Amino acid sequence: MNVCDSGMLGSTLSTYGASQVNSLSDADVVILNTCSVREQAEQKAFSYLGRVEEFKQQNPFIKIVVIGCMAERLGQKIKKRFNNIDLIIGAREIDNAALKIINLCSMSDVSKKDQPDIKSEIIRYVSIMRGCDNYCSYCVVPFVRGREKSLDYKTILNECSLMVKNGAKEIMLLGQNVNSYQYENMNFASLIKKVAAIENLERIRFMTNHPKDLNDDLINIMATNPKVCSHIHLPMQSASDKILKAMNRKYTYERYLGLINKLRITIPDVSITTDIIVGFPYETEKDFEDTLNAVKSIRFGGLYVFRYSPRPNTRAADMIDNVPLEEKKRRHAIILEESNKISIEIVSKMVGSTQQVLIEKIENDVIEARTRSGRKVFVECGKEYELGKQINVNIKEAKINLLFGGII
Ligand code: SAH
Ligand code: SF4
C-alpha cells in the first residue's frame, strides 16, 4: 500500500516538473513514507531519518518530508528527535500531500504538465479503499489510517483504464480488507468483473483478504475468469481459537480451514499464502503448536511470520506482553523453517510442468516473469520478446523462491 501511495504522490509531483532520483546527493527533497504496523518498521524509519539529518547538516538546502502512518501516529513529536524535518504529513492526509510538498519546495505550476509522467510499467497497484474498521486487537492500522472507506468505483475504473492505456498488463487492487469493498451497489466481486472487462489488461491480483469476509462470489470469479490470478493472500494469524478470539479476528480455525478447502476444490491450481503472528500475549506452547501443525497440514504457498510487538492504542497493548523475546524468536524460526521446507517441496513438484507466465522484464537475454500463482521465473531467451506478453514455459529447475524455465 505504501509503494502504491508513494507512486501516486510521485506521479502528481512529476506534473510539477519533479523527478525521482536515486541518491541523496541528487535530491532537493527527500520524502520518507513510513509504516507503523510493527515496532521494527518504525525503528528502521528512525535510523534512516538519522542518516538523512546528518546529510542535511552538510547540505542545508535539502528538504525532509515524513509522510505515512508514523507521521500520523507521532505527528510533531518526530521533530523532537529530529529537528531538521521540514514537513510531517499523516497517512490520512495523503491526498493533500502533493500540494503541501509543492508549496514547501516553491514548485511553480509554470512547468505544470496536464499528464503525469506515468512510467509504462507492466504491473500497477490501485488502492480501492482506505482505512480499516476491523480493529484486530494487535493492529495499529485503524488508528493511523482511519475508518474504512471504499473509493468510488468510477474513479477506480478510470484509473485502471488509464494505466492499461499506458502499458499496464497486470493490476493489483489494494485494500486492508478488499472483501468488504462496497460502493453504492458495487461489491468487490462485481468490481473485479468490471476491471477484468478492460481490454488489453491481462491479469488482476488483489490483496489483502480477511477470512471473515471472503465470499463465494469472489471464489467463483477466481475460478472462472481467466484474467483473475489464482493466488490469494489469506492471513490466518494463528490456528488457536483462544488466540484468534483474543486477536478479535472473528473466525475460528475450523472456519478458516473450511475456506481453504473450498478454495482448493473450486480453484484447483490456487496458491494460498498467509500471515502469522507468533508470541501474541498468553500464546502458550500448545497454542503455538496448533499454529505449527496448521502450517504443516495446510501447506501454504508461502507465508510471512511476524514476532508480536505491542502497538500504542491497540487493545492488545493493554495485555501483558508475556512471551519473552527469545521465545518469540524461537517460534518465529520454527515456523520459518517449516515454511521453507514446504516451499521447496512445492516448487520441486513444479519441475517439468508448463506454466503460463507474464513477462515483467528482459535483461541480457533473460526474461523475468511470474506465474499465475505469483512465483518468479527466469527464462533464457534467444530472440526478442515483448514485455507484458504472456507465454508458456517449461519449468526446468526450482529454488525456494525462484524457478528457471525454458520457452515452449
Ligand atoms: N489488513 C491486512 C494486514 C495489515 S498488517 C490484513 O488484515 O491482513 C500486515 C500483517 O502484519 C498482519 O497480517 C499481521 O500478521 C502483522 N501485524 C500487524 N500488527 C502486528 C503487531 N502488532 N505485531 C506483529 N505483527 C503484526
Ligand atoms: Fe489491521 Fe485487522 Fe484491519 Fe488488517 S484487518 S489492517 S490486521 S485491523
Side-chain angles (χ1 to χ4, degrees):
M1 195 154 271
N2 271 6
V3 171
C4 174
D5 286 346
S6 300
M8 293 305 283
L9 180 58
S11 62
T12 312
L13 292 177
S14 76
T15 62
Y16 286 81
S19 60
Q20 197 179 324
V21 291
N22 290 323
S23 81
L24 270 184
S25 47
D26 292 332
D28 300 307
V29 54
V30 177
I31 305 167
L32 181 64
N33 195 359
T34 57
C35 173
S36 286
V37 163
R38 283 170 297 277
E39 199 185 333
Q40 212 181 10
E42 293 200 345
Q43 295 307 339
K44 271 192 202 163
F46 276 136
S47 90
Y48 183 76
L49 274 176
R51 292 208 299 280
V52 184
E53 265 221 328
E54 242 170 60
F55 184 82
K56 185 165 178 164
Q57 274 156 17
Q58 317 300 324
N59 305 274
F61 63 86
I62 203 165
K63 303 251 189 287
I64 308 177
V65 181
V66 182
I67 65 171
C69 290
M70 219 171 123
E72 181 74 44
R73 195 175 85 69
L74 296 169
Q76 299 304 316
K77 284 188 202 144
I78 303 178
K79 281 197 174 164
K80 282 207 180 111
R81 203 158 144 185
F82 302 96
N83 46 28
N84 267 326
I85 293 174
D86 297 276
L87 195 57
I88 295 179
I89 308 169
R92 296 182 206 211
E93 279 181 284
I94 188 82
D95 293 335
N96 306 321
L99 267 182
K100 291 188 174 182
I101 295 168
I102 287 158
N103 285 337
L104 172 76
C105 300
S106 316
M107 290 155 128
S108 74
D109 56 7
V110 174
S111 60
K112 189 165 182 342
K113 296 179 265 176
D114 289 337
Q115 288 291 325
D117 293 338
I118 295 185
K119 287 169 260 157
S120 58
E121 284 166 12
I122 303 295
I123 299 168
R124 301 297 307 261
Y125 300 100
V126 176
S127 273
I128 62 164
M129 54 215 292
R130 301 231 179 263
C132 183
D133 273 351
N134 287 314
Y135 292 93
C136 300
S137 67
Y138 50 80
C139 185
V140 77
V141 170
F143 301 94
V144 285
R145 291 213 173 230
R147 299 304 300 257
E148 181 182 288
K149 184 174 172 258
S150 295
L151 304 179
D152 187 338
Y153 64 87
K154 297 181 276 307
T155 317
I156 296 170
L157 291 171
N158 281 340
E159 204 179 318
C160 293
S161 299
L162 188 67
M163 286 173 173
V164 174
K165 236 189 224 157
N166 281 298
K169 294 290 176 190
E170 178 177 313
I171 284 182
M172 179 177 271
L173 303 173
L174 292 173
Q176 297 297 347
N177 175 9
V178 289
N179 313 106
S180 67
Y181 177 88
Q182 188 74 48
Y183 192 94
E184 291 164 359
N185 52 8
M186 181 81 75
N187 67 12
F188 186 55
S190 29
L191 177 69
I192 285 210
K193 251 191 236 164
K194 291 264 183 212
V195 176
I198 298 174
E199 220 179 307
N200 294 327
L201 177 67
E202 303 271 346
R203 282 181 170 184
I204 301 169
R205 294 185 193 278
F206 51 89
M207 78 189 314
T208 290
N209 299 272
H210 196 306
K212 80 175 165 59
D213 295 317
L214 177 64
N215 61 25
D216 289 355
D217 283 357
L218 181 62
I219 298 179
N220 290 335
I221 285 189
M222 287 181 74
T224 52
N225 194 311
K227 287 192 183 178
V228 185
C229 284
S230 44
H231 169 221
I232 186 159
H233 188 68
L234 193 64
M236 177 176 82
Q237 312 299 1
S238 169
S240 150
D241 287 344
K242 177 192 95 185
I243 297 294
L244 285 172
K245 190 152 197 272
M247 285 177 166
N248 193 31
R249 288 291 286 178
K250 302 195 172 87
Y251 54 85
T252 57
Y253 176 58
E254 200 185 325
R255 179 145 166 240
Y256 184 83
L257 207 53
L259 289 172
I260 299 282
N261 291 335
K262 195 185 271 179
L263 281 162
R264 287 188 167 152
I265 291 168
T266 325
I267 315 157
D269 67 334
V270 73
S271 168
I272 304 168
T273 54
T274 204
D275 289 348
I276 285 170
I277 298 177
V278 292
F280 187 81
Y282 299 94
E283 184 190 64
T284 60
E285 186 61 27
K286 164 82 176 62
D287 296 320
F288 169 68
E289 272 169 19
D290 286 349
T291 303
L292 179 62
N293 288 333
V295 168
K296 285 181 184 168
S297 66
I298 294 175
R299 299 175 65 81
F300 292 104
L303 61 79
Y304 296 103
V305 52
F306 307 106
R307 297 194 305 252
Y308 169 73
S309 62
R311 308 306 296 132
N313 299 323
T314 61
R315 264 203 277 154
D318 292 336
M319 303 174 193
I320 305 166
D321 181 17
N322 58 355
V323 180
L325 180 61
E326 282 312 306
E327 183 56 24
K328 285 180 186 163
K329 284 186 182 165
R330 187 186 72 90
R331 294 178 188 180
H332 182 270
I334 293 173
I335 297 276
L336 206 58
E337 196 188 324
E338 189 58 42
S339 153
N340 286 344
K341 208 174 92 194
I342 294 167
S343 288
I344 289 173
E345 287 167 11
I346 293 177
V347 292
S348 302
K349 279 199 190 131
M350 290 172 84
V351 174
S353 72
T354 300
Q355 301 284 332
Q356 188 190 50
V357 301
L358 186 133
I359 304 176
E360 294 176 10
K361 211 166 141 185
I362 305 176
E363 224 172 65
N364 304 327
D365 285 346
V366 176
I367 290 176
E368 211 179 298
R370 215 170 276 270
T371 64
R372 287 174 55 78
S373 59
R375 292 198 184 272
K376 195 173 256 192
V377 188
F378 283 111
V379 190
E380 276 200 45
C381 61
K383 61 176 182 107
E384 285 287 294
Y385 277 90
E386 208 182 308
L387 286 177
K389 270 261 169 303
Q390 298 210 69
I391 54 170
N392 282 333
V393 297
N394 181 258
I395 304 298
K396 294 179 165 164
E397 202 191 325
K399 293 205 173 139
I400 184 155
N401 286 319
L402 261 189
L403 298 167
F404 301 88
I407 289 162
I408 295 175

